Amino acid sequence: MALDFLISDDGRIVTSTYERDGRSRFCLSERTKYGTLISEFSSNSEVLNQVHIASTDNEKGLLEYLGSKERRVVLVGAYRGIKVNAKCSSCGKIGLRRLLDLSSPMEITEAPVVPLFKCAACGKIHYSMTDEYLRRIMQDKEGLFEPGELAEVRKDGNASVKMLQEYIIRIFASKKISRFKIE
């Protein structure tokens, strides 16, 4: 089955939703200053994976990431951004926007390990860090961990994810950045 590739004027590509691992998802592919950033989101716009590849052909890179050769290209005009129907912890309004969407793709020089979102009403910053995303980081970026930590991750991945979530909450709480919650 072919996915729709919704291509905006600035070259960003958003896919139609698809199923993987029993979960509905969609992808965003952006040609950045130094390659292509591919972000995979749940149907609620929570970040499930984020990879940066050296290729500047974001359409080809996205097809490789998805393991597909079939797509139907749809030109959509202006990019509307990734929006989350989550309540802001500061003002209580619903509507967070992905922070990277506030820049043109070619201005993106690096993607933060922790995906950030901004409240459209008051500007408060929130983060998205799903358990699935943390598991991928632990698998794909083993160099970030000490040998003892890696042994713990391999022994009990679920406990390691829970421990990392607790660390992240403490770190971001000190910076007054909240994790958004889908209601």
Side-chain angles (χ1 to χ4, degrees):
M1 182 175 125
L3 281 177
D4 287 344
F5 274 28
L6 309 173
I7 303 177
S8 62
D9 292 340
D10 64 3
R12 286 177 163 120
I13 302 170
V14 177
T15 69
S16 53
T17 57
Y18 57 92
E19 290 285 323
R20 183 185 291 168
D21 300 328
R23 197 170 191 177
S24 188
R25 305 160 182 260
F26 69 94
C27 276
L28 166 66
S29 179
E30 303 166 281
R31 181 175 175 217
T32 65
K33 187 168 185 172
Y34 301 115
T36 297
L37 176 64
I38 298 171
S39 304
E40 189 171 29
F41 298 89
S42 71
S43 58
N44 292 331
S45 299
E46 297 170 293
V47 178
L48 302 174
N49 194 16
Q50 195 169 254
V51 295
H52 188 268
I53 58 175
S55 172
T56 56
D57 185 340
N58 64 333
E59 189 172 343
K60 181 180 175 190
L62 182 56
L63 285 168
E64 288 174 9
Y65 175 82
L66 294 169
S68 176
K69 294 182 180 167
E70 296 182 53
R71 80 239 180 242
R72 185 174 40 235
V73 172
V74 179
L75 302 177
V76 294
Y79 175 67
R80 293 193 177 132
I82 304 297
K83 294 182 182 131
V84 182
N85 288 326
K87 192 180 284 187
C88 175
S89 63
S90 182
C91 72
K93 300 225 185 263
I94 293 178
L96 305 178
R97 186 164 182 193
R98 184 172 160 260
L99 200 57
L100 287 178
D101 287 346
L102 303 177
S103 302
S104 77
M106 291 305 289
E107 292 173 345
I108 299 171
T109 57
E110 61 185 12
V113 173
V114 179
L116 299 174
F117 292 76
K118 186 175 186 177
C119 176
C122 74
K124 168 122 170 107
I125 303 295
H126 296 75
Y127 71 92
S128 171
M129 196 60 102
T130 61
D131 289 353
E132 182 174 337
Y133 182 62
L134 278 174
R135 278 188 197 88
R136 290 210 188 239
I137 289 174
M138 290 188 307
Q139 291 169 350
D140 298 344
K141 301 192 187 304
E142 287 187 346
L144 296 174
F145 300 94
E146 298 293 325
E149 293 169 329
L150 279 176
E152 285 297 315
V153 166
R154 290 183 183 124
K155 186 170 122 184
D156 188 350
N158 290 333
S160 297
V161 165
K162 184 178 179 189
M163 180 187 66
L164 279 175
Q165 286 287 17
E166 291 169 1
Y167 285 150
I168 292 165
I169 288 168
R170 284 195 294 270
I171 290 166
F172 280 93
S174 69
K175 298 176 188 249
K176 300 195 183 338
I177 299 175
S178 305
R179 181 177 178 183
F180 72 72
K181 295 178 186 145
I182 303 293
E183 297 188 15

